[in-house]
Amino acid sequence: MPTTSATSNGPWDAKLQQFHGGQDWHMDNFIEDFSVTTNAFGMPESAKTAAVQAVSQGHHYPPADQEPARSSLAHFLWPADFEAEQGRLILGNGASELIDLIIRMAPAGTWKPGPFQTQYKEYERSARNNGFEMLAADSPDKANVCCLVNPCNPTGDYLELSEVKSWISNNVLPGGYVLIDESMQPWHSPEFRQHSLLSQHEYIRSLYREQGISVFIMHSWTKLWCCTGLRLGSVVCPTADHMRAIKKSQVPWSVNIVALAFLNAVVSDEKYLQKTWQMTPLWRQQSIDQLSARFPTWEFFGRSFLSWIWVDTKSEDVAERAIELARAAGVPVRSGRPGYNLPTFVRVAVRDPAKFSVLLGAWKLL
């Protein structure tokens, strides 16, 4: 099996693809993947069972209308009024497919990221591939297309609803598109919907009606429900017409029958979400406490509810050594160098304390 160094892009083609974590699980000594921001509890058993059973239907095409999974997700997003809003929702083969489809149909011109040090890079990759002029996050100019990851992966920054609306007002040109990635928002709490643009129907409609600004709410569901191999994403469009425009360009059956079965089942697993909301902040803080005790110069970033810790080791050499030791111990972490160009940083997923102890043990040699 080929090996990679801490600074290598591994299986990714550095000239053509955007680097991501999550490629080291095939190692012979693999124990746990700390390089991805998935849920520490793994795939929910009820949804896994539904997905396995769906394999027996693999000789059939998936439903072209994505039902009943799409309606089930709509009910999860808007328990009180899903029937009125679900016409704006469409599923995709991961959020990545939908990101690219939306940016392809967006108004040409300039592109701008959110206001943080860095953010998830697929939005920028798609914008570059589609010929947009890139503006810096701190540029005073408004852009035709803006993309905000909130909560921000990897930095852990987070804007409240009022701050998101202010950012949109200050950064998006009339007639523009704004993609708000809320993939990590459901970790917030049982009240996550109240803190999300999902609850802001009239605001989104008025913004489109009065300024022609189209707001798209993006979700990658592979993190919350730990199903990255299944590829599940969705977007809530500003109008049903926007949804239909995406559907027109989307290849048929892009979400396979196994992923649809998984999604249809997982949205009903309330116990899984309850333990996620209860334990993630506790395990996260325990991890920070142990790391800070051992490495007092390190700095830790991110909101308490998030499924990862963004760590500044203050040293490129220390960060690279930490990555090498973690991988050698079968508990890989995400380097801040590839993609983000922040070589003193590492991203560490929140995991069960027993598995975290393996990572901590590997770092005794730092």
Side-chain angles (χ1 to χ4, degrees), residues 149-357:
V149 181
N150 189 55
C152 183
N153 182 8
T155 67
D157 291 293
Y158 180 64
L159 301 182
E160 299 291 348
L161 265 179
S162 60
E163 296 173 302
V164 172
K165 292 179 180 180
S166 177
W167 181 83
I168 292 173
S169 296
N170 293 331
N171 290 280
V172 186
L173 286 168
Y177 274 25
V178 56
L179 288 72
I180 307 294
D181 190 324
E182 292 194 348
S183 296
M184 303 302 175
Q185 180 75 23
W187 260 281
H188 184 284
S189 67
E191 293 75 41
F192 76 90
R193 298 171 186 85
Q194 301 171 25
H195 298 267
S196 163
L197 280 174
L198 291 169
S199 66
Q200 302 298 301
H201 303 321
E202 184 51 37
Y203 164 74
I204 291 172
R205 290 183 182 117
S206 65
L207 201 61
Y208 181 64
R209 184 174 59 246
E210 297 169 11
Q211 300 184 50
I213 293 176
S214 300
V215 178
F216 297 85
I217 308 170
M218 315 295 301
H219 287 99
S220 168
W221 296 112
T222 62
K223 313 306 186 300
L224 179 64
W225 289 312
C226 198
C227 59
T228 49
L230 295 185
R231 313 309 306 135
L232 270 174
S234 68
V235 58
V236 178
C237 303
T239 69
D241 286 341
H242 287 80
M243 187 280 290
R244 285 188 285 269
I246 294 172
K247 182 183 286 189
K248 183 178 180 180
S249 298
Q250 186 180 43
V251 298
W253 315 297
S254 71
V255 185
N256 67 59
I257 204 164
V258 174
L260 289 173
F262 178 95
L263 179 60
N264 191 53
V266 78
V267 292
S268 300
D269 197 333
E270 296 182 4
K271 290 183 179 179
Y272 181 88
L273 290 178
Q274 289 297 331
K275 66 182 180 182
T276 296
W277 292 321
Q278 178 183 3
M279 298 308 300
T280 301
L282 294 178
W283 288 351
R284 188 180 191 277
Q285 190 57 52
Q286 288 174 11
S287 300
I288 290 175
D289 290 344
Q290 293 180 67
L291 287 171
S292 60
R294 175 142 338 151
F295 307 105
T297 62
W298 290 12
E299 193 170 0
F300 308 93
F301 299 90
R303 289 295 185 99
S304 62
F305 60 83
L306 293 175
S307 61
W308 75 92
I309 309 163
W310 186 231
V311 184
D312 187 358
T313 68
K314 308 296 183 177
S315 164
E316 292 187 31
D317 291 340
V318 169
E320 184 166 349
R321 180 62 173 153
I323 295 158
E324 291 172 346
L325 290 170
R327 193 173 191 280
V331 284
V333 298
R334 169 56 155 104
S335 169
R337 182 188 298 274
Y340 300 130
N341 196 30
L342 294 168
T344 68
F345 283 81
V346 295
R347 190 184 66 196
V348 180
V350 173
R351 291 293 182 257
D352 179 284
K355 293 180 177 178
F356 179 76
S357 68

Side-chain angles (χ1 to χ4, degrees), residues 89-144:
L89 176 67
I90 190 169
L91 309 180
N93 188 261
S96 300
E97 179 198 21
L98 298 168
I99 290 167
D100 200 57
L101 284 171
I102 294 168
I103 290 182
R104 285 172 185 268
M105 65 186 240
T110 52
W111 178 91
K112 191 175 185 179
F116 310 125
Q117 184 181 30
T118 190
Q119 67 177 29
Y120 178 65
K121 289 290 186 175
E122 281 299 323
Y123 294 94
E124 179 179 337
R125 182 199 64 82
S126 181
R128 288 185 183 278
N129 284 349
N130 285 283
F132 282 83
E133 177 188 348
M134 315 305 290
L135 299 181
D138 59 357
S139 169
D141 297 330
K142 293 185 176 184
N144 300 100

